[in-house]
Each structure stands twice: as C-alpha cells, then as structure tokens.
Amino acid sequence: MAAIAQQLLNPVVVFYISLFFLSMNSIVVIVNSAADTTFTPSDNYLIDCGSSSTSNLHNGKTFKSDKQSTSYLSTKSDIQVAVPSADVPSPIYLTARIFVEESTYVFRMVRPGWHWIRLHFFPMENSEFDLTHSVFSVETDDVVLLHSFSITNKTTWIMKEYLLNVTTERVTLRFSPLRNSAAFINAIEVVSAPDSLISDVGSSIVPIGEFTGLSTHSYQTLYRLNMGGATITPNNDTLGRTWEPDLRYLMARGLAKTVSVAPSIITYPEGVSPLIAPNLVYATAIEMADARVTNPNFNVTWRFDIDPAFGYVLRLHFCDIVSKALNDLYFNVYINGKMAISALDLSSITGDLAVPYYKDIVANASVLSDKLMIQIGPINQETGSVNAILNGLEVLKMSNSVGSLDGEFGVDGSKSSSAGTKGTVAAVGFAMMFGAFVGLGAMVIKWYKRPQDWERRNSFSSWLLPLHAGHSSFMTGSKNSGGSQKSGYGNFYSSTLGLGRYFSFAELQEATKNFDQNAVIGVGGFGNVYIGVLDDGTQVAVKRGNPQSEQGITEFQTEIQMLSKLRHRHLVSLIGYCDENSEMILVYEYMSNGPLRDHLYGKNLPPLSWKQRLEISIGAARGLHYLHTGAAQGIIHRDVKTTNILLDENLIAKMADFGLSKNAPTMEQTHVSTAVKGSFGYLDPEYFRRQQLTDKSDVYSFGVVLFEVLCARPAINPALPREQVNLAEWAMQWKRKGLLDKVIDPHLVGVINPESMKKFAEAAEKCLADYGVDRPSMGDVLWNLEYALQLQEASSQAKKDEENRAAAEAATAAAPSPRAVIPPIPTTADVKANADHRSTGGDDDDDEPAAQVHAISEDSGTAMFAKQLTEINGR
Ligand SMILES: *[C@@H]1O[C@H](CO)[C@@H](O)[C@H](O)[C@H]1NC(C)=O
Ligand SMILES: *[C@@H]1O[C@H](CO)[C@@H](O)[C@H](O)[C@H]1NC(C)=O
C-alpha cells in the first residue's frame, strides 16, 4: 500500500494524471443535458488543397492551406490550380491540387476511434488539365474510398463523407490517377467523431436478428436527411454534418405532409445524445397527409439509388412530435417491402412525447436491389391515430469483406468474397433489439406529467414462441390430460413441459382454414389471433407469432410460464402450442364474446345490463384476486384493462394476457423494481413515478376499468376536450361533485339502483387513490362489488315484488291477500359478515372445472418444467 501511495505522489505520475484529465476535459463528450453537450474533436484537420491562404468559411469551419503545412503532403509532382469564382457553396472549391502520379496526404492521429473523412471535389476549368477526364482512386492504408472515380460534369461539385474507425497512429490518403490521367482534390477534412456515434450492434431484417460487428466496418454516408425540414448546415449540427431536405426522395408527395415544432421542446433522453442528431432533425418530420380523413390505408415512401453489392446501415430517427397523447401512435416501417419495425410504439420506448429515438437497421443484398425503398405506414387497427412519422434518415454504405467502399477489390487487390457485409447475424433474432429496447425504455422513462391520454393498442401484447427442438432430453413420461388426443408424440412432451397439448402445424392450418384472413379475431404487433375449430369441434383462439415482432421473447416466456402454472375459472386457459417449422403458435380457450371493451362501446353490441356489468366486474376481480393471492408467490398482472378481460359464451369474465406479468414482491421486498410497462390510461401514477411495482398497481388499473364499465367510454379518448381525455381524472371530478350520474352510460340511467352505483363508484374511487397504500386489496374490491350487486338485486327484487303486489292488489281488490314479504336490503355489515364467512372472495369457484381445459396439477413438476423451459430457451 505504502508503495502505491508513494507512487501516487511521484511527480511524474501526477503529471500524467493531470495530463490525462486535461485531455479528458478537452476531448471527451460530456453527456449531461441536451444544452451543454458539446464535442471537441481531438483530431481536426481541415485542409484547403492548393490554396495559398486560410479560408474562414461562413459555416464556422476554418480550412488551412496545405501550403502552410506541406508536411501532410508527399508527392513527386503536383499542380495547383484556382478559379476566381464559380457556382460552388464554399471557397474551398475554388482551388485544387492536381496529381499526375500517386501522391499521399498523411495525418497524425491524437486519438484512435471514429473519424470523419470528407473529400471535396470540383472539376474546375483550368489551363493545366481537363479534370472532367480525370479518373482516379482514393484509398487509406486499408480502406478503398473511391475506385475509378470521375466527375464528368464540370459544374458539379461533390463532397464524399466517410466514417472510419482509425486504429493506427496515422491516416494516409493515397490518390492514384489512372494511367495518363490525373487525380485532384479541393479540400480534405479528417476529424474525430465520438465513440458513441456507432455502436457495435444493430438489427438486421433478413434474417430478423441482431447484427454485431458494426464497429469493424467503414462507412460512407450516402444520404443524410432531415425529414420535413430544411437543410441543416455544418454550423447548426452538433458534429459539423450536413442534413438535406428529403423532398427529392419522397414518392407520391400528396400522401405526406410536413410537421414541425419548436426545437427547444425536444428533450433528449439518457442514451441518446444530441451528438447523434441535433434537435433540428427531431423537431421536424414527415407524417401521413390527412390520415384521419382519407382512406388511411397507405404508406409514405422514400426511394434512393444504391449499389446492391454493398450492405447498408439505415439509421432511422424518430421523435413523436405529432401526437397529443402518449401511446396513441403505432406504425410500421418497411425496407424494400420487408417489415423492418412492426408496430413501433415510440411512447412506450421513450416514455414521453418529443423525445428522440433512433434505430440502426442493417440491410444487405438479401433485401436490396438498385433501389432502396423506405416506407412508413399505419398498422391496421381501429384505436389510436392512423398515422406514421419519420424525422430523419441516414443511409450509410458499409465496407465489404475486403474493406472496400467502392468496387469489389480491397487495397491489397484481394477480391470481395461476396456482396454485403462481414458482421454476424445472430441466428434466431427474437432478442433482436429487444434487449436494447427494454434497456432504452428503462433508461428514458421520465416523469413530466400525470399519465394521461394513452391507450395501448394491442389487446394481446405478449408474444413469440421460442420453443426449440430437443425436448426429448428431459422427456420424462406422459401425463396426458384432456383436450383432444390426436397428436401423439406432441402430447407426450408438451404435457411434461406444462404447456398443454402439442398441436401439429397441419392441425392448426386445418383448424384455421390455413390461417384465413377471415378467421382473424385479433391483431397486434406480435401477429394475429385466429379463431379455429379443432376436429372434435372445440373452438379455440390461435395466436400465431409474427417473427418480425419486437414484442419479445421475454414477455412470451413469461406468459407461457404464468399460464401453465395458473388455473382458474376467471383466467383464460392455455390449451396448447405448436413450434413446428419455427412457428410460434399458442392455442387458448376461445372466448366467444370477445373483450369486455367491445360490449361497452365502439362496436354497437347490445348494451350490457347493470347486473351483467357487475357480474363481469366481479369475475375479473376474482381472477385478479386469485393472481395476487392464489399462486404460491403472488403475481402482478401489470396490464389490466378492458381489452384484457375476455367474455365466454355465457359472459363469464376471464383475465387474459399475462405477457407483462411479474411475480409479486416477496415478504422481504416491498415492491418489484422494474421498467414501467403496461397501458397508459390505466397506469398507476405511483408505479410510473417510482417504477416500483406492487399488486396495488393492478388495483389502480382495475379502478379505471370500473369507471369504463360505468361510463362506457375509453380510458383515454384524445378526441375529447382536454379535461375529459382521461377517464380516471374526469370521472373522479364528477364523483367528488356528487354528480357521477350525469356522466354514466345513458343505457344505465333509470335502471341502475343509485345505492348500487354509489357503492360501485366508491370502490372505483378507492382503487384510484394516489398512493398504493391507500388503495384496497382486490379482495376488498371484490366485497364491495358483491355488495353493489346485492344492492342492485335487492332493489330489482323489491321493484318486482312491488309490481306483483300492485298487480295482485288490483286483481283482488276485494279480497285482501297476505302482505308480500320484501327482503330487507342488506347493510354493509351484513355483506361484510357474509363475505368474511368465506375464506377469500377469489377461490370459491376454483373447484368448478374450467371448460375445455385439462387440469395440470400444481405440483413441483410443473415448476420444474417451467424452469427447464427457461433453460432451453437459453436464459
Ligand atoms: C475500433 O476498432 C477496434 C478494433 O476492431 C475496436 O477495438 C474499437 O472498439 C473500435 N472503436 C470504436 C469506437 O468502435
Ligand atoms: C405498405 O408497404 C408494405 C411493404 O411494401 C406493404 O406490405 C403494405 O401492404 C403497404 N401498405 C399499404 C396500406 O399499402
């Protein structure tokens, strides 16, 4: 220790340390807040070739003459030329150096890592050489930048921008003219770029997966566009880049329109630095023109020329500056007709509006032709806005397997083995951006406003089935259990897995008429849900995973594990699955009356009576109560909403969709700390604020559900005046004023018993308490709902009796009959005593066999197989 201490005091070491800090200060990116993020390049060579003096450009850059420091240049013979003026954007194009033999510029590097190399060319007229006839190559020691390059139009100036990961102490730029030709250059920039600019990992489209190795490639910027905005010049960009407007690449311009906001409202999250793109990029976008009025079924398309022999990184920049509310905008992104991002939900990633997000997608020969087409379009669903946006786009050409960015030969003459890219595509890529996604999501969640205005569009949010072959290694025996027994070997291991029956793909094809579009009963980012009929006549709901879905494997695994452990009359049952041909299919019991929400509004179904609504609410509450208390370690649903409460043919309510479920905290913990998930509009403000999950978060969401049931309107309706958008806030205001009856479903007016409504609304109100500790347990909610039901029944009974009595009295006016016995209306104490009598409100109908569902015993075997399932999925 003493030795180390002494060393620390050694003046030489101290000197080095301070030098280190000094250089850290001057060169390192400081990502604190948007405002003070700056980047000072440690290497910053700006050379005005052939010029005799320094050029100060209006864009803030100062280019030095290469005469002032000719040490860069090594050449046997060169010619300097100049023109007094020309139609060029900058004076650096007015002078040039012409090389008739191979010549090099050498730049010493202070710091390794990413560097911009920008080459400026203008084939100016001069008496020495006709530059429109020059053909030449430009290479570094290991990257071919330009091969047989020429500019044949003498009025065209060109800037080529490259991004190279420099690992050596010097960068050499070698200009090699073709025989009897000449090379020329007007200006050169070699400038450090931040390390964070390109991460090693992107995602690939075909096959869907993660693409690693981005940092080993070199890049040429082919396009850098500011969608819906003006040109951004280098002095307005955080890294001296130029962004051009997108208009010339936009097809069918009538389908698109521009949108913009004040750049100052753009808020960078942690993890996205303004160095990635300035706020000017995110403050403008292209969106769908009049998406709300015309036929919404179209895409907005941009088209670019590219060389399909190379791979490309497409960096898509998004920032939701169009929505009025969170979770109202979902859209797809396609690249050359292939789904690249399915049901992108920016607000669930960024947690707020006007927060930048970008994504790198690697596209190679398998998707490309000589055109690159980027399309954005709405996902086909009813709720939320029909719209799609794009704020910015960068198209970066990737160096090929021999390090060339132009032509198929490398610097050493070796030939590229194949078109495309040398990075690795992770084989099965469900994980794809999912990790990054969740990671980012977790990082960028911020709390600015009360949660409002949102509704997740996908009623089935979970998905993707990662069951691989190889079950046989732990095939321990068959416990066949119910369902139709057709698929022999499948049953064998699926039941040991605790996943229910195994279905062959052919069987499910037949059941769904080959996944007929007409059989679709639900759509989501994960894929479709189909109704199917098994050959024994059983109706089932078949969820077929879309391999492009970003809703990930984790959620799917959670759901499958949860479902296989849970059996309850008020939980939707999993019947089986299919993983043949890498299909990802789950088969559930069919709930013929669909989501509760459809019976409340929007679908013109006959209105439910108040009694039916109470019974459905009670059923759902039982399901939740069972989740919270019935399972060995309680389970938090996390996504309670009216689309996740499904109704069977008898209108029995069952909770569905456990994709977001989490095990409840154990005794020692008081909460589960987790990235915020769930559906806005239903989201517990405390959970959102503190990211601490308890079962009281479900209680909050359930409170919103109760008001939805009473008022028959969505939890979030952005179309309404501001104060009405959020159902929870709005209903609570009326409740507090004692005027709730003014805003209830008109179908209930006059039939609902006021006492029953009061009790119900009180239960809902308690659920919506700001703090979890102030909210009732699901068991308490259940009692209150049962009480509300008794009040309603007693009152209708009293009414009926009253009517009967009146009728009887009228009929037998002469002969007095014995007085009808009117049952007394129960008091709170009665109901409480009654409810207390049962151990809990939730388990009472456990012993009823759930329809179509084979029992899977809750023995340790199930848990063990669930664990093995996790293991074979490599987690
Ligand atoms: C540049 O490449 C080297 C070697 O492949 C790698 O170690 C380094 O991380 C890369 N730098 C950056 C900034 O990606
Ligand atoms: C949008 O483009 C994709 C890919 O080209 C295509 O599959 C989809 O049908 C298009 N949508 C519409 C509504 O045209």
Side-chain angles (χ1 to χ4, degrees), residues 296-299 334 336-338 373 375-378 380:
N297 219 8
F298 63 83
N299 292 322
Y334 309 92
N336 279 21
K338 296 271 190 315
M373 207 164 64
Q375 291 175 293
I376 54 172
N380 255 328

Side-chain angles (χ1 to χ4, degrees), residues 492-693:
F492 187 61
Y493 52 74
S494 65
S495 53
T496 56
L497 271 170
L499 301 179
R501 240 193 90 181
Y502 180 88
F503 289 90
S504 71
F505 186 62
E507 204 174 348
L508 293 178
Q509 264 181 318
E510 197 184 313
T512 57
K513 302 207 177 81
N514 199 16
F515 299 97
D516 186 5
Q517 277 303 310
N518 293 325
V520 173
I521 52 172
V523 184
F526 62 87
N528 290 343
V529 184
Y530 301 82
I531 183 173
V533 183
L534 302 182
D535 54 9
D536 66 354
T538 313
Q539 287 188 309
V540 289
V542 180
K543 257 193 192 183
R544 186 182 190 192
N546 164 4
Q548 253 105 40
S549 168
E550 289 201 352
Q551 269 147 351
I553 197 160
T554 318
E555 289 187 6
F556 172 75
Q557 290 177 340
T558 312
E559 174 151 11
I560 204 167
Q561 288 175 23
M562 295 282 171
L563 278 173
S564 55
K565 274 189 280 186
L566 300 168
R567 294 289 147 181
H568 190 272
R569 181 181 150 108
H570 293 290
L571 300 181
V572 171
S573 300
L574 178 70
I575 297 175
Y577 74 101
C578 167
D579 66 338
E580 216 174 285
N581 313 331
S582 4
E583 284 288 342
M584 302 176 288
I585 304 176
L586 286 190
V587 181
Y588 294 85
E589 69 176 310
Y590 176 59
M591 301 292 287
S592 59
N593 272 308
L596 167 59
R597 178 186 171 132
D598 291 355
H599 295 263
L600 295 173
Y601 49 85
K603 284 280 197 292
N604 284 327
L605 296 177
L608 297 167
S609 72
W610 180 236
K611 181 170 177 233
Q612 284 171 322
R613 294 184 205 205
L614 284 168
E615 283 168 347
I616 289 165
S617 306
I618 288 169
R622 285 214 173 112
L624 280 175
H625 180 64
Y626 168 75
L627 280 181
H628 290 176
T629 60
Q633 191 195 0
I635 284 163
I636 304 169
H637 185 290
R638 296 179 89 191
D639 202 13
V640 175
K641 54 183 173 180
T642 46
T643 43
N644 279 340
I645 299 172
L646 302 184
L647 304 176
D648 73 3
E649 69 276 17
N650 300 317
L651 294 178
I652 302 292
K654 305 193 184 204
M655 295 304 305
D657 202 344
F658 302 87
L660 299 179
S661 303
K662 270 256 194 288
N663 282 347
T666 56
M667 296 302 260
E668 300 84 62
Q669 306 161 284
T670 56
H671 63 267
V672 180
S673 182
T674 167
V676 173
K677 287 191 164 196
S679 298
F680 292 108
Y682 294 93
L683 200 53
D684 169 9
E686 189 177 36
Y687 168 37
F688 202 82
R689 227 168 16 233
R690 302 172 56 198
Q691 298 182 35
Q692 294 176 347
L693 187 67

Side-chain angles (χ1 to χ4, degrees), residues 265-270 272 282 317-321 326 346-347 349-358 389 391 440 444-446 448:
I265 73 161
I266 304 297
T267 311
Y268 286 88
E270 260 177 73
V272 180
Y282 292 112
H317 297 271
F318 300 101
C319 183
D320 188 350
I321 55 170
L326 289 176
L346 291 173
S347 31
I349 299 166
T350 60
D352 208 341
L353 302 176
V355 173
Y357 168 70
Y358 72 95
I389 59 164
N391 302 63
L440 184 63
V444 301
I445 291 291
K446 290 189 186 168
Y448 293 117

Side-chain angles (χ1 to χ4, degrees), residues 179-319:
R179 185 187 288 273
N180 299 328
S181 179
F184 71 96
I185 180 74
N186 299 70
I188 300 173
E189 301 174 51
V190 179
V191 181
S192 298
D195 288 347
S196 57
L197 194 60
I198 301 271
S199 81
D200 196 49
V201 183
S203 50
S204 71
I205 341 171
V206 178
I208 290 276
E210 193 179 73
F211 186 99
T212 54
L214 290 181
S215 65
T216 63
H217 284 268
S218 304
Y219 299 92
Q220 181 189 352
T221 312
L222 287 196
Y223 302 96
R224 180 179 289 125
L225 307 181
N226 177 23
M227 265 63 189
T231 302
I232 299 172
T233 53
N235 49 329
N236 285 321
D237 178 78
T238 40
L239 292 177
R241 291 162 294 202
T242 303
W243 302 73
E244 59 168 329
D246 64 304
L247 214 56
R248 34 195 289 228
Y249 308 101
L250 186 61
M251 315 298 293
R253 291 184 194 173
L255 297 181
K257 70 176 194 224
T258 64
V259 54
S260 62
V261 295
S264 56
I265 73 161
I266 304 297
T267 311
Y268 286 88
E270 260 177 73
V272 180
S273 149
L275 301 178
I276 294 294
N279 58 9
L280 293 171
V281 170
Y282 292 112
T284 67
I286 289 285
E287 65 173 336
M288 293 171 64
D290 295 318
R292 274 157 248 255
V293 200
T294 55
N295 173 13
N297 219 8
F298 63 83
N299 292 322
V300 176
T301 306
W302 291 265
R303 210 166 70 179
F304 307 90
D305 291 327
I306 51 149
D307 176 354
F310 288 83
Y312 295 83
V313 173
L314 312 175
R315 176 166 288 182
L316 301 156
H317 297 271
F318 300 101
C319 183

